[in-house]
Amino acid sequence: MKRFLLILCLCFGSLFLYARGSTLTDHSRIKEFSSFRIMGEIDLRTGKDYSSEVKYRTLNHEGGMRVRVLEVLKKDVQNNKPGKWFYVLLTSPMWVEGREWIEKYQEFLIFLPDDMPVFDFYEFG
């Protein structure tokens, strides 16, 4: 019986090592160096030009887009949705529309609507 409890504790204890960050709906907590995962379709622009052409559009799939915030930019309204612009570093590779594969460690300008939750949120600093 003790052996069973020990194995059970070890199994559940290891689950805590792989625990993910929290889900965030209040984007005011997103700061420089925060990291999170975005689910849904997001336009990716290169450079910090808000009016630049969209280079890629993410797919809404279970992996999402994992990013680290390099810079928190301005509040704005896009497609009648309030939100905020962020300059981010892609921290995991992913597929985008057009069946293109994007490698990690690329920088993009994104607009994150206020009503879009982010997952696995970690705040650094």
Side-chain angles (χ1 to χ4, degrees):
M1 181 66 170
K2 288 182 183 180
R3 187 174 292 176
F4 174 74
L5 289 175
L6 177 63
I7 291 172
L8 190 63
C9 287
L10 288 174
C11 289
F12 282 109
S14 65
L15 288 177
F16 289 112
L17 292 175
Y18 296 102
R20 300 194 183 267
S22 60
T23 299
L24 184 68
T25 55
D26 176 12
H27 295 170
S28 67
R29 290 187 47 203
I30 298 174
K31 308 284 188 241
E32 212 171 89
F33 305 117
S34 297
S35 67
F36 50 87
R37 184 168 47 99
I38 305 168
M39 305 296 286
E41 297 175 353
I42 298 287
D43 291 336
L44 305 175
R45 293 172 167 80
T46 54
K48 293 183 196 172
D49 181 4
Y50 304 109
S51 63
S52 66
E53 185 178 320
V54 173
K55 178 84 172 172
Y56 304 105
R57 184 169 179 83
T58 64
L59 298 172
N60 187 13
H61 58 79
E62 68 280 353
M65 179 174 67
R66 295 177 193 277
V67 298
R68 165 128 335 130
V69 176
L70 299 174
E71 223 177 310
V72 178
L73 301 168
K74 68 178 185 172
K75 287 184 167 246
D76 200 358
V77 176
Q78 294 287 310
N79 300 323
N80 295 321
K81 290 188 172 197
K84 194 178 281 185
W85 289 96
F86 294 94
Y87 195 59
V88 299
L89 177 70
L90 189 65
T91 59
S92 183
M94 67 177 186
W95 290 103
V96 293
E97 277 186 2
R99 295 182 169 176
E100 291 182 72
W101 179 253
I102 298 179
E103 291 294 335
K104 61 184 176 178
Y105 304 129
Q106 294 188 54
E107 298 174 1
F108 295 104
L109 177 68
I110 64 168
F111 179 79
L112 186 61
D114 288 340
D115 63 354
M116 180 177 278
V118 297
F119 303 91
D120 303 335
F121 176 75
Y122 289 100
E123 192 171 358
F124 295 95

